[in-house]
Amino acid sequence: MLDRRIFLASAAAVAACGRPSASEAQPDISADTTASTPAPGAPSRREGAPRIVAMGEASEDFASFTREDWRARLTEAEFDVLRREGTERPGSSPLLEESRAGTYICAGCALPLFRSETKFESGTGWPSFYTHIEGALETKTDLRLWTPRTEYHCVRCGGHQGHVFEDGPEPTGERWCNNGVALDFVPDTAT
């Protein structure tokens, strides 16, 4: 009976937004803020404050990046989520407390994904939005757990962001539940 309760509690946490990491044991990745060495020819996004790189303005061809290029460009935590479709620990993202006006961008390629006006407190432990910037995300059906879910990725670099659910606020009724480590925030004053 205890094993069943542990399983049900674990399943409920995973179902809230995402799935377990690709590794056997999910490491505590919330404190991983180390900068990575950039891939050859790719400037590190860690140099200075994050900046928005709109569609059509990227100098890199993200579709041609190899696994090694991504490993060099991203922190281990970012790589786990963006490239291996892992899930960060709930409540670990500093973006949960972010309340300034601005834009949430993909941590992999800096494409604008969400505006701050669409963010809301979902109580799940992950940054959540009721809609996204049109054309920035693509969805697919995720069948890796016991029930189908809608997973979404950055349209430019293919980086995994999170899952969308139909339990959000009006006007859309949607909850775009995002891994904070897969995002960077650019305040309006920085643009």
Side-chain angles (χ1 to χ4, degrees):
M1 184 65 164
L2 181 59
D3 288 342
R4 179 178 161 84
R5 282 183 277 173
I6 292 171
F7 170 77
L8 290 175
S10 298
V14 169
C17 181
R19 69 173 156 277
S21 170
S23 57
E24 284 263 324
Q26 187 171 1
D28 178 3
I29 58 179
S30 62
D32 184 1
T33 58
T34 59
S36 299
T37 305
S44 171
R45 65 180 192 79
R46 300 285 183 223
E47 294 172 4
R51 63 181 187 83
I52 295 171
V53 180
M55 190 62 83
E57 294 179 8
S59 59
E60 294 90 9
D61 176 12
F62 294 103
S64 71
F65 275 25
T66 66
R67 192 170 184 84
E68 292 74 31
D69 292 337
W70 283 114
R71 279 199 179 278
R73 184 180 182 89
L74 304 171
T75 66
E76 184 58 34
E78 291 167 338
F79 184 82
D80 183 54
V81 171
L82 289 164
R83 308 320 304 174
R84 290 189 289 203
E85 299 181 345
T87 300
E88 71 185 351
R89 195 184 60 197
S92 65
S93 176
L95 292 179
L96 287 169
E97 304 303 318
E98 183 57 66
S99 60
R100 295 174 290 173
T103 304
Y104 293 85
I105 62 174
C106 175
C109 71
L111 183 70
L113 304 179
F114 301 99
R115 284 290 304 159
S116 58
E117 301 84 47
T118 66
K119 185 178 180 212
F120 70 98
E121 175 52 57
S122 66
T124 62
W126 289 279
S128 297
F129 306 85
Y130 63 78
T131 193
H132 60 90
I133 294 173
E134 190 170 334
L137 299 169
E138 56 187 16
T139 62
K140 70 177 187 178
T141 301
D142 175 2
L143 299 171
R144 289 174 238 197
L145 289 180
W146 54 92
T147 184
R149 297 179 300 161
T150 303
E151 180 177 297
Y152 61 94
H153 295 252
C154 171
V155 73
R156 179 164 55 203
C157 73
H160 169 73
Q161 295 291 323
H163 291 83
V164 62
F165 301 94
E166 295 178 1
D167 60 0
E170 294 300 323
T172 64
E174 296 173 337
R175 173 172 52 98
W176 294 78
C177 190
N178 216 99
N179 288 283
V181 74
L183 296 171
D184 282 323
F185 178 74
V186 179
D188 281 348
T189 57
T191 56

